[in-house]
Structures are given as structure tokens and as C-alpha cells.
Amino acid sequence: MAPVRAEHREFVGAVFRQIEEMPKADFEAGMEWNWETFEEYLGAFRERLGINVAPMVGHSMLRLWVMGESSRDRVATEDELQQMCALLRQCLDVGGLGLSSSWVDIDHEYRAVPCRQAAPEELDALCSVLGEYGAVMQIVPEFWDADLLAARIDILAELSRKHDIMITFSPLFDSTATPELVDRAMERVQLQVARGARVVPQMQTRPIDVTFEFDIPTSVFSTRPTWWATILKPHDQTLADFRDPQVRKRLVEEAYNAMHPIAMEISFPEFLVSRTTLAHNKPLEGRRLADIAAERGCDPVELMLDLAVEENLKICFSAFEVGHNRTDNIVGPIASDLVQIGSGDGGAHVARFATYGDTGYLFSKFVREAGALSLEHAVYKLTGHIARNWGLTDRGLIRPGLAADLVIFDPQTIDRGPEIPVEDLPAGGYRYIRRASGIEQVFVNGKLVYSAQGGYTQATSGAIVPERRQERARRDAATLESTVGVASTKPAPLRNWTYPQPGDDWQSIAKRELPEKDLQEAVQDLQSWNLYLVFRPAPARMTCSDIIFTAPPAA
């Protein structure tokens, strides 16, 4: 959320709420905009932290600060790129740990966030600044497509070797919708690490749960164009479409036959009615649509639409373990030294599901139940392993002179609790939470901040980590260039691909990349090889950071 000019606060807030699915009234009631620079941002909470915070500098925030609104539409000029590099240095000097970016996120108007308009040269230049500081980059790739993810791993590996930095991507996600993805991604990571790259996937421990209601677009419908277009309409028009027999027919067809969205295996009859507003519908809560529809003699998707209309779109539906729930597939990467436990997402999507409890679930599911990790290995994966990956040399181990960040827990009972709704947001909104069990005490930098007997204390012993980035000497660029570089034996890509150029469309790419083919045939081939772009929800457009495959998938 920094650096951000005052005139961009409304835009940034809208984007944040869209990506993290946070209610507008609660965001505005609880948010104090009292900073612009990154240093002012850290100062807004530095003295009242109960936990440690390692702040990342947002790539989109750099672009917005330097380029203004045009950061949403175009690549940077050379002068603007130099300004972004200088601004990144300022942020790292005052306490930034590294740079965060994304290849997938969309804003509140369903357009690519600013960092996705960056040309590849921009990311390379920013990574060169990270190399000066020994800082890190974290990025979100297309985690639902094996070919795309493999190409992104190659790109990240080249940046890592060239600039001698650690790059982590999040998440590495397993699903029956993409059953071979994790194995293929791990093979690519192993190949690139063997060639000197430091590319670290982050993997969560918990399965994915989904909750949605129809007054807010959600990824569940991102590959269903009629659903997406209908939900984007004003409230009354969405209701009218849900009642319209012709629209309903298309909605039902897409519900059963569309592509799975972002690696989630969605079956609408299996969704539960999770939250209602009308008293006579309360008995439906916790029941499957398939079961209710069988009793009423109707189609489950038709039932879902009827209930949505009856409840004025305020009804919620939930499905559990729609992805990342195959323990046998996950345990290998979770235990691997190449993979970091992460992608926690705690505090995000608060009205949709509770993304809390990954640490407790690691012990209950993978240590106690599956026996896949020893207790000591699981502790290390959550502490020293993460500190090592991120270059935090003053913590992560129990050793004299290091920070006393300690969790005292019962290995026989540590776990995550059930998902429960609570109405405690600043404007009275609700969220879902999970409480931990088996935690006895938590110390942050030597101070007790929580105990099972007394709850949370008022200790504010948390710190910005690292506390002072400028204490780390910058690495001389010439020396860095002489000691590292892209390996001469780069592995061949799994599929041929290209970056779009500014202003490209399918026809221009087809003419350039497939000149020997009939234009219409070439366009059809390109679209069939890049369905992720064909099904990208409108009004999202092709960006300069997208990958366009110019050959079919390997057999």
C-alpha cells in the first residue's frame, strides 16, 4: 500500500478491496490514510506492532507513483523506468525487504493491475536494483496452467541468475483439474536450481474452500462468460437476468460445461447453502444443493438461481476442498528443501473463507496424521527455512544473540479450528475466522504477546524486519556483473512462446509468428493454444507481460 500519492488513494483502495475481497464500508471505517512515502507508511505502524513485519514494495505502486493513471495502460519510458528504479532504492533503504509483483491480478474494473503492463525490460531493471541490495522478489504467476508456470519458472530463473537474487513465486497449487502441474513445476525448479538459480515455490498446507454470493464477481465464474457478464451488471439487472428463461438456459449450460477456473474443480450441485438472510431459508444452511434439488424435483443450478432471486442476491454458497486436497501429492513438495511453506493469505478474502491455520494444519495433517514430516522438520520448515530463504540472518533459529521469536505448543493438540463467522469488522461486517488450538505461549522479540490462559497481551515488541536496510552495503554493480550471469547452458523451453508487443492483437501476432499460415487459420491456432487469454474475463486485454504460445502443447 505504499508508496502512494494522496490523489491515488481511492484507486488503490478500490484495487485492494477487489483483490482481497474486503467490504468497502469496513475498509473505509478502519483505514487511516496518513502516509504517502514508503518511509511514512512504515512509520504509521512501526511503534505499535505486536508481530514482526517484513514489508514488500509493490511493483504496481512504483508504476502508479511515477506514471500516474497511464501506468494502467502502457509500458514505461526509459526516464520513467529510471525513476522507478530510484524510487525502489529509496524504499529498500528505509526498510523494504524486496519487490512484490503479479502476472495475474485484476483491478476493480477488471483490468490488469499496473504491474502487468510492464514490459519484460522493466522487471529486469527492477531486479537489477534488488541485486544491488541482495533483496528478494515475490511474484504471483499463472499457477493453474502447467505450461505457463513452466515458462514463468524459466523467466524467474534467468532473472535470479543474472542478478544473483532469490525469487519466490506463490502459490504452487495442486488440483485434480491440473493433475500433473505440481510434478512438472518441480521438475522445472530442480532443473533451474541445478543451473544456479534461486527460485523458490511457496506451497500452502491447507485445501482450498470457496464461498460466493452473486452481488460480487468471483473467480468461480471467471471461465463462464455469461455468468461473469451477468454478475457484473447492476444489481437489478442481474436479478432480471436470473429470472429470464433464455439467460437462465445459458447459465445452466455453462455451469455444467465450462472450463474449471484457476485449477479449482467446481461442481455446483456439491455447493452448500452457507448463509441466508430470510428466516424460512435458515434450515437450508449447511445442506447440499443436490440434496435440496432432489427433494424439490428440480435442477441444482436452477435451484441456486431461484434462491439467489428470492434472497435478493444476498445468499452465500460454499464448497470445501475444491483444490489442493490430495495429501499424497502435496507431501513431497511440502517436505522438500526446494519449497517454502507459504501462500497463507491469512486476513484476505475475509467474507469468503478463512485462510488461517496453515501452521496448525501442517502439524495435525502432515506430522501427526500422515507421518510425512518429523516434528523437528516441520518446525524448521516454518522457521529457519523461511528465514534462510529471505536472508533474515537475525532470526529463525533458537540461538544466543538471535531474536527470541518463540512459540510454545503441544505437539499432540496443535491444529486449526473450524471455520466460523464473526461480525467484528469496523463497520459491522462479517468475516470468517479459524482459531488455533494447542498454542500455549507466543513470544515476539522476547516479550510475551499471547498465552492460552490470558489471551493477547498489550506488548508491542514487534519490529520491521530488517530494521535498517541501509546498514547492508550495496553491492557494486560492476563486481556483481563479473561474478554472476545467465548460465550458458539455459535449458530449452518446454513450448515456444513470445511476448506481445504494445498494441498487439491476435491478427498481428499471427502475421508475425506464423507467417506461413493462412491468417484465419493462424489466429485459430494461436487462440486454441492460449485458451487462458481467450477466456480471460472482459474487459481484460492482452498485456506486454503475457506469454503467447506459438506452438501446440507437447504430446
Side-chain angles (χ1 to χ4, degrees), residues 353-421:
F353 41 81
T355 51
Y356 303 102
D358 283 38
T359 52
Y361 193 74
L362 174 70
F363 290 105
S364 64
K365 186 70 174 181
F366 293 90
V367 176
R368 287 203 306 270
E369 182 180 322
L373 283 80
S374 69
L375 180 67
E376 294 82 0
H377 191 189
V379 169
Y380 173 69
K381 290 285 290 187
L382 295 171
T383 55
H385 187 244
I386 294 172
R388 186 194 73 187
N389 284 341
W390 289 79
L392 304 177
T393 57
D394 62 338
R395 62 196 65 237
L397 301 172
I398 300 177
R399 180 176 294 170
L402 299 191
D405 295 335
L406 303 170
V407 179
I408 314 301
F409 66 94
D410 182 347
Q412 299 306 314
T413 60
I414 186 172
D415 201 350
R416 64 171 188 168
E419 186 172 272
I420 56 175

Coordinates of all heavy atoms in Angstrom, one line a residue, residues 353-421:
F353 N -13.8 -17.0 2.9 CA -13.4 -18.2 3.6 C -12.3 -17.7 4.6 O -11.8 -16.6 4.5 CB -12.8 -19.3 2.6 CG -12.1 -18.8 1.5 CD1 -10.7 -18.4 1.6 CD2 -12.7 -18.6 0.2 CE1 -10.0 -17.9 0.5 CE2 -11.9 -18.1 -0.8 CZ -10.6 -17.8 -0.7
A354 N -11.9 -18.6 5.5 CA -10.9 -18.3 6.5 C -9.5 -18.9 6.1 O -9.3 -20.1 6.3 CB -11.3 -18.8 7.8
T355 N -8.7 -18.1 5.5 CA -7.4 -18.6 5.1 C -6.4 -18.5 6.2 O -5.2 -18.1 6.1 CB -6.8 -17.7 3.9 OG1 -6.9 -16.4 4.3 CG2 -7.7 -18.0 2.7
Y356 N -6.8 -19.1 7.4 CA -5.9 -19.1 8.5 C -5.6 -20.6 8.9 O -6.3 -21.5 8.4 CB -6.6 -18.5 9.8 CG -7.1 -17.1 9.6 CD1 -8.4 -16.8 9.3 CD2 -6.2 -16.1 9.7 CE1 -8.8 -15.5 9.2 CE2 -6.6 -14.7 9.6 CZ -7.9 -14.5 9.3 OH -8.3 -13.2 9.2
G357 N -4.6 -20.8 9.6 CA -4.4 -22.1 10.2 C -3.4 -23.0 9.5 O -3.3 -24.2 9.8
D358 N -2.6 -22.5 8.5 CA -1.7 -23.4 7.8 C -0.7 -24.1 8.7 O -0.3 -25.2 8.5 CB -1.0 -22.6 6.7 CG -1.9 -22.3 5.5 OD1 -3.1 -22.1 5.7 OD2 -1.4 -22.4 4.3
T359 N -0.2 -23.3 9.7 CA 0.8 -23.9 10.6 C 0.2 -25.0 11.4 O 0.8 -26.1 11.5 CB 1.4 -22.8 11.4 OG1 0.4 -22.1 12.1 CG2 2.2 -21.8 10.6
G360 N -0.9 -24.8 12.0 CA -1.5 -25.8 12.8 C -1.9 -27.0 12.0 O -1.7 -28.2 12.4
Y361 N -2.3 -26.8 10.8 CA -2.7 -27.9 9.9 C -1.5 -28.7 9.4 O -1.6 -29.9 9.2 CB -3.4 -27.3 8.7 CG -4.2 -28.3 7.8 CD1 -5.4 -28.9 8.2 CD2 -3.7 -28.7 6.5 CE1 -6.0 -29.8 7.4 CE2 -4.3 -29.6 5.8 CZ -5.5 -30.1 6.2 OH -6.2 -31.0 5.4
L362 N -0.4 -28.0 9.3 CA 0.9 -28.8 9.0 C 1.1 -29.9 10.0 O 1.5 -31.0 9.7 CB 2.0 -27.8 8.9 CG 3.4 -28.5 8.7 CD1 3.5 -29.1 7.3 CD2 4.5 -27.5 8.9
F363 N 1.0 -29.5 11.3 CA 1.3 -30.5 12.4 C 0.2 -31.5 12.5 O 0.5 -32.7 12.7 CB 1.5 -29.7 13.7 CG 2.7 -28.9 13.8 CD1 2.7 -27.5 13.7 CD2 4.0 -29.5 13.9 CE1 3.8 -26.7 13.7 CE2 5.1 -28.7 14.0 CZ 5.1 -27.3 13.9
S364 N -1.0 -31.1 12.4 CA -2.1 -32.1 12.6 C -2.2 -33.1 11.4 O -2.4 -34.3 11.5 CB -3.5 -31.4 12.8 OG -3.8 -30.6 11.6
K365 N -2.1 -32.5 10.2 CA -2.3 -33.3 9.0 C -1.1 -34.1 8.5 O -1.1 -35.3 8.2 CB -2.8 -32.5 7.8 CG -3.2 -33.2 6.5 CD -4.5 -34.0 6.8 CE -5.0 -34.6 5.4 NZ -6.2 -35.4 5.7
F366 N 0.1 -33.4 8.4 CA 1.3 -33.9 7.8 C 2.2 -34.5 8.8 O 3.0 -35.4 8.4 CB 2.0 -32.8 7.0 CG 1.2 -32.4 5.8 CD1 0.3 -31.3 5.9 CD2 1.3 -33.0 4.6 CE1 -0.4 -30.9 4.8 CE2 0.6 -32.6 3.5 CZ -0.3 -31.5 3.6
V367 N 2.2 -34.1 10.0 CA 3.1 -34.7 11.1 C 2.3 -35.8 11.8 O 2.7 -37.0 11.8 CB 3.6 -33.6 12.0 CG1 4.4 -34.3 13.2 CG2 4.4 -32.6 11.3
R368 N 1.2 -35.5 12.4 CA 0.5 -36.5 13.3 C -0.2 -37.5 12.4 O -0.1 -38.7 12.7 CB -0.5 -35.8 14.2 CG 0.2 -35.0 15.4 CD -0.8 -34.9 16.5 NE -2.0 -34.3 16.2 CZ -2.3 -32.9 16.2 NH1 -1.3 -32.1 16.5 NH2 -3.5 -32.5 15.9
E369 N -1.0 -37.0 11.5 CA -1.9 -38.0 10.7 C -1.1 -38.7 9.7 O -1.2 -40.0 9.6 CB -3.1 -37.2 10.1 CG -4.0 -38.1 9.4 CD -5.2 -37.3 8.8 OE1 -5.6 -36.3 9.4 OE2 -5.6 -37.6 7.6
A370 N -0.4 -38.0 8.8 CA 0.2 -38.7 7.7 C 1.6 -39.2 8.0 O 2.2 -40.1 7.3 CB 0.3 -37.7 6.5
G371 N 2.3 -38.6 9.1 CA 3.6 -39.0 9.4 C 4.6 -38.7 8.3 O 5.7 -39.4 8.2
A372 N 4.3 -37.7 7.5 CA 5.2 -37.4 6.4 C 6.4 -36.5 6.7 O 7.4 -36.5 6.0 CB 4.3 -36.7 5.3
L373 N 6.3 -35.8 7.8 CA 7.4 -34.9 8.3 C 7.6 -35.2 9.8 O 6.6 -35.5 10.5 CB 7.1 -33.4 8.1 CG 7.2 -32.8 6.8 CD1 6.0 -33.0 6.0 CD2 7.4 -31.3 7.0
S374 N 8.8 -35.2 10.2 CA 9.1 -35.3 11.7 C 8.7 -33.9 12.3 O 8.5 -32.9 11.6 CB 10.5 -35.5 11.9 OG 11.3 -34.4 11.6
L375 N 8.5 -34.0 13.6 CA 8.1 -32.7 14.3 C 9.2 -31.7 14.1 O 8.9 -30.5 13.8 CB 7.9 -33.0 15.8 CG 7.6 -31.9 16.7 CD1 6.2 -31.4 16.4 CD2 7.7 -32.3 18.2
E376 N 10.5 -32.1 14.2 CA 11.6 -31.2 14.1 C 11.6 -30.6 12.7 O 11.9 -29.4 12.5 CB 12.9 -31.9 14.4 CG 13.0 -32.3 15.8 CD 12.3 -33.7 16.1 OE1 11.7 -34.2 15.2 OE2 12.4 -34.1 17.3
H377 N 11.4 -31.4 11.7 CA 11.4 -30.9 10.3 C 10.3 -29.9 10.0 O 10.5 -28.9 9.4 CB 11.3 -32.1 9.3 CG 11.6 -31.8 7.9 ND1 11.3 -32.6 6.8 CD2 12.1 -30.6 7.3 CE1 11.7 -32.1 5.7 NE2 12.1 -30.8 6.0
A378 N 9.1 -30.2 10.6 CA 8.0 -29.2 10.4 C 8.3 -27.9 11.0 O 8.0 -26.8 10.5 CB 6.7 -29.8 11.0
V379 N 8.9 -27.9 12.2 CA 9.3 -26.7 12.9 C 10.3 -25.9 12.1 O 10.2 -24.7 11.9 CB 9.8 -27.0 14.3 CG1 10.5 -25.7 14.9 CG2 8.7 -27.5 15.2
Y380 N 11.3 -26.6 11.6 CA 12.3 -25.9 10.7 C 11.7 -25.3 9.5 O 12.1 -24.2 9.1 CB 13.4 -26.9 10.4 CG 14.4 -26.3 9.4 CD1 15.3 -25.3 9.8 CD2 14.5 -26.8 8.1 CE1 16.2 -24.8 8.9 CE2 15.4 -26.2 7.2 CZ 16.2 -25.2 7.6 OH 17.1 -24.7 6.7
K381 N 10.8 -26.0 8.9 CA 10.1 -25.5 7.6 C 9.4 -24.2 7.9 O 9.3 -23.4 7.0 CB 9.2 -26.5 7.0 CG 9.8 -27.8 6.4 CD 10.5 -27.5 5.1 CE 9.5 -27.2 4.0 NZ 10.1 -27.1 2.7
L382 N 8.9 -24.0 9.1 CA 8.2 -22.8 9.5 C 9.1 -21.7 10.0 O 8.6 -20.6 10.2 CB 7.1 -23.1 10.5 CG 6.0 -24.1 10.0 CD1 5.1 -24.5 11.2 CD2 5.1 -23.4 8.9
T383 N 10.3 -22.0 10.3 CA 11.2 -21.0 11.0 C 12.5 -20.8 10.2 O 12.6 -19.9 9.4 CB 11.4 -21.5 12.4 OG1 12.0 -22.8 12.4 CG2 10.2 -21.5 13.2
G384 N 13.5 -21.6 10.5 CA 14.8 -21.4 9.9 C 14.8 -21.5 8.4 O 15.6 -20.7 7.8
H385 N 14.0 -22.3 7.8 CA 14.0 -22.5 6.4 C 13.5 -21.2 5.7 O 14.1 -20.7 4.7 CB 13.1 -23.6 6.0 CG 13.1 -24.0 4.5 ND1 12.0 -23.8 3.7 CD2 14.1 -24.4 3.7 CE1 12.3 -24.2 2.5 NE2 13.6 -24.5 2.4
I386 N 12.4 -20.6 6.3 CA 11.9 -19.3 5.7 C 12.9 -18.2 5.9 O 13.2 -17.4 5.0 CB 10.6 -19.0 6.3 CG1 9.5 -20.1 5.9 CG2 10.1 -17.6 5.9 CD1 8.2 -19.9 6.6
A387 N 13.5 -18.1 7.1 CA 14.5 -17.1 7.4 C 15.7 -17.2 6.5 O 16.2 -16.2 5.9 CB 14.9 -17.2 8.8
R388 N 16.1 -18.4 6.2 CA 17.3 -18.6 5.3 C 16.9 -18.1 3.9 O 17.7 -17.4 3.2 CB 17.7 -20.1 5.2 CG 18.9 -20.4 4.4 CD 19.1 -21.8 4.2 NE 18.1 -22.3 3.2 CZ 17.9 -23.6 2.9 NH1 18.6 -24.5 3.5 NH2 17.0 -23.9 2.0
N389 N 15.7 -18.5 3.4 CA 15.3 -18.1 2.0 C 15.3 -16.6 1.8 O 15.6 -16.1 0.8 CB 13.9 -18.7 1.7 CG 14.0 -20.2 1.4 OD1 15.1 -20.7 1.1 ND2 12.9 -20.9 1.5
W390 N 14.8 -15.9 2.9 CA 14.6 -14.5 2.7 C 15.7 -13.6 3.2 O 15.7 -12.4 3.3 CB 13.3 -14.1 3.5 CG 12.1 -14.6 2.8 CD1 11.5 -15.8 2.8 CD2 11.2 -13.8 2.0 NE1 10.4 -15.9 2.1 CE2 10.2 -14.7 1.5 CE3 11.2 -12.5 1.6 CZ2 9.1 -14.2 0.7 CZ3 10.1 -12.1 0.7 CH2 9.1 -12.9 0.3
G391 N 16.8 -14.3 3.6 CA 18.0 -13.6 4.0 C 17.9 -12.9 5.4 O 18.6 -11.9 5.7
L392 N 17.1 -13.5 6.3 CA 16.9 -12.9 7.6 C 17.8 -13.6 8.6 O 17.5 -14.7 9.1 CB 15.4 -13.0 8.1 CG 14.4 -12.4 7.1 CD1 13.0 -12.7 7.7 CD2 14.6 -10.9 6.9
T393 N 19.0 -13.1 8.7 CA 20.1 -13.8 9.5 C 20.0 -13.6 11.0 O 20.7 -14.3 11.7 CB 21.4 -13.2 9.0 OG1 21.5 -11.8 9.2 CG2 21.7 -13.5 7.5
D394 N 19.1 -12.7 11.5 CA 19.0 -12.5 12.9 C 17.9 -13.2 13.6 O 17.6 -13.0 14.8 CB 18.8 -11.0 13.2 CG 17.5 -10.4 12.6 OD1 17.0 -11.1 11.7 OD2 17.0 -9.4 13.1
R395 N 17.2 -14.2 12.9 CA 16.1 -14.9 13.5 C 15.9 -16.2 12.7 O 16.6 -16.5 11.7 CB 14.9 -14.1 13.5 CG 14.3 -13.7 12.2 CD 13.3 -12.6 12.3 NE 13.9 -11.4 12.8 CZ 13.6 -10.7 13.9 NH1 12.5 -11.1 14.6 NH2 14.2 -9.6 14.3
G396 N 15.0 -17.1 13.2 CA 14.7 -18.3 12.5 C 15.3 -19.6 13.3 O 14.9 -20.7 12.9
L397 N 16.2 -19.4 14.2 CA 16.8 -20.4 15.0 C 16.8 -20.0 16.5 O 16.7 -18.8 16.8 CB 18.2 -20.7 14.6 CG 18.4 -21.1 13.1 CD1 19.9 -21.2 12.8 CD2 17.8 -22.5 12.8
I398 N 16.8 -21.0 17.4 CA 17.0 -20.7 18.8 C 18.5 -20.7 19.1 O 19.1 -21.8 19.2 CB 16.2 -21.7 19.7 CG1 14.7 -21.7 19.3 CG2 16.4 -21.4 21.1 CD1 13.9 -22.7 20.1
R399 N 19.0 -19.5 19.3 CA 20.5 -19.4 19.4 C 20.8 -18.1 20.1 O 20.1 -17.1 19.8 CB 21.1 -19.5 18.0 CG 22.6 -19.4 18.0 CD 23.2 -19.5 16.6 NE 22.9 -20.9 16.0 CZ 23.1 -21.2 14.8 NH1 23.5 -20.3 13.9 NH2 22.9 -22.4 14.4
P400 N 21.8 -18.1 21.0 CA 22.2 -16.8 21.6 C 22.5 -15.7 20.6 O 23.1 -16.0 19.6 CB 23.4 -17.2 22.4 CG 23.2 -18.7 22.7 CD 22.6 -19.2 21.5
G401 N 21.9 -14.6 20.9 CA 22.1 -13.4 20.0 C 21.1 -13.2 18.9 O 21.1 -12.2 18.3
L402 N 20.3 -14.2 18.7 CA 19.2 -14.1 17.7 C 17.9 -13.7 18.3 O 17.7 -13.8 19.6 CB 19.0 -15.4 16.9 CG 20.2 -16.0 16.1 CD1 19.7 -17.1 15.2 CD2 20.9 -14.9 15.3
A403 N 17.0 -13.1 17.5 CA 15.7 -12.7 18.1 C 15.0 -13.8 18.7 O 14.9 -14.9 18.2 CB 14.9 -12.1 16.9
A404 N 14.4 -13.6 19.9 CA 13.6 -14.6 20.6 C 12.2 -14.6 20.2 O 11.3 -14.2 20.9 CB 13.7 -14.3 22.1
D405 N 12.0 -15.1 18.9 CA 10.6 -15.3 18.4 C 10.3 -16.8 18.7 O 10.8 -17.7 18.0 CB 10.5 -15.0 16.9 CG 10.8 -13.6 16.6 OD1 10.5 -12.7 17.4 OD2 11.2 -13.3 15.4
L406 N 9.4 -17.0 19.7 CA 9.2 -18.4 20.1 C 7.7 -18.7 20.2 O 6.9 -17.9 20.7 CB 9.8 -18.6 21.5 CG 11.3 -18.3 21.7 CD1 11.8 -18.3 23.1 CD2 12.1 -19.3 20.9
V407 N 7.4 -19.9 19.8 CA 6.0 -20.4 20.0 C 6.1 -21.7 20.8 O 6.8 -22.7 20.5 CB 5.3 -20.7 18.7 CG1 3.9 -21.3 18.9 CG2 5.3 -19.5 17.8
I408 N 5.4 -21.7 22.0 CA 5.3 -22.9 22.8 C 4.0 -23.6 22.5 O 3.0 -23.0 22.7 CB 5.4 -22.5 24.3 CG1 6.5 -21.5 24.6 CG2 5.6 -23.8 25.2 CD1 7.9 -21.9 24.2
F409 N 4.1 -24.9 22.1 CA 2.9 -25.5 21.7 C 2.9 -27.0 22.1 O 3.9 -27.6 22.4 CB 2.6 -25.4 20.2 CG 3.7 -26.2 19.3 CD1 3.4 -27.5 18.9 CD2 4.9 -25.5 19.0 CE1 4.4 -28.1 18.1 CE2 5.8 -26.2 18.2 CZ 5.6 -27.5 17.7
D410 N 1.7 -27.6 22.1 CA 1.5 -29.0 22.4 C 1.5 -29.8 21.1 O 0.6 -29.6 20.3 CB 0.2 -29.2 23.2 CG 0.0 -30.7 23.6 OD1 0.7 -31.6 23.1 OD2 -0.9 -31.0 24.4
P411 N 2.5 -30.6 20.8 CA 2.5 -31.3 19.5 C 1.4 -32.3 19.3 O 1.1 -32.7 18.2 CB 3.9 -32.0 19.5 CG 4.3 -32.1 21.0 CD 3.7 -30.9 21.6
Q412 N 0.7 -32.7 20.4 CA -0.4 -33.6 20.3 C -1.7 -33.0 20.0 O -2.7 -33.6 19.6 CB -0.5 -34.5 21.6 CG 0.7 -35.3 21.9 CD 1.2 -36.2 20.7 OE1 0.3 -36.9 20.1 NE2 2.4 -36.2 20.4
T413 N -1.8 -31.6 20.2 CA -3.1 -31.0 20.0 C -3.1 -29.8 19.1 O -4.1 -29.3 18.7 CB -3.7 -30.5 21.4 OG1 -2.8 -29.6 22.0 CG2 -3.9 -31.7 22.3
I414 N -1.9 -29.3 18.7 CA -1.8 -28.2 17.8 C -2.6 -28.5 16.5 O -2.5 -29.5 15.9 CB -0.4 -27.8 17.5 CG1 -0.3 -26.4 16.7 CG2 0.4 -28.9 16.8 CD1 1.0 -25.9 16.5
D415 N -3.4 -27.5 16.1 CA -4.3 -27.7 15.0 C -5.0 -26.4 14.6 O -4.8 -25.4 15.4 CB -5.4 -28.8 15.3 CG -6.0 -29.4 14.0 OD1 -5.7 -28.9 12.9 OD2 -6.7 -30.4 14.2
R416 N -5.7 -26.3 13.5 CA -6.6 -25.2 13.2 C -8.0 -25.6 13.6 O -8.4 -26.7 13.5 CB -6.5 -24.9 11.7 CG -7.0 -25.9 10.8 CD -7.1 -25.5 9.4 NE -7.8 -26.5 8.5 CZ -8.3 -26.2 7.3 NH1 -8.1 -25.0 6.8 NH2 -8.9 -27.2 6.6
G417 N -8.7 -24.6 14.1 CA -10.1 -24.8 14.5 C -11.0 -24.8 13.3 O -10.6 -24.5 12.1
P418 N -12.3 -24.9 13.5 CA -13.3 -24.9 12.5 C -13.5 -23.5 12.0 O -13.2 -22.5 12.7 CB -14.6 -25.4 13.1 CG -14.4 -25.1 14.6 CD -12.9 -25.3 14.9
E419 N -14.0 -23.4 10.7 CA -14.4 -22.0 10.2 C -15.7 -21.5 10.8 O -16.7 -22.2 10.8 CB -14.5 -22.2 8.7 CG -14.7 -20.9 7.9 CD -14.6 -21.0 6.4 OE1 -13.5 -21.0 5.9 OE2 -15.7 -21.2 5.8
I420 N -15.6 -20.3 11.3 CA -16.8 -19.7 12.0 C -16.9 -18.3 11.5 O -15.9 -17.6 11.3 CB -16.7 -19.8 13.5 CG1 -15.4 -19.1 14.0 CG2 -16.7 -21.2 14.0 CD1 -15.3 -19.0 15.5
P421 N -18.2 -17.8 11.4 CA -18.4 -16.4 11.0 C -18.4 -15.5 12.3 O -19.0 -15.9 13.3 CB -19.8 -16.4 10.3 CG -20.5 -17.6 11.0 CD -19.4 -18.6 11.3

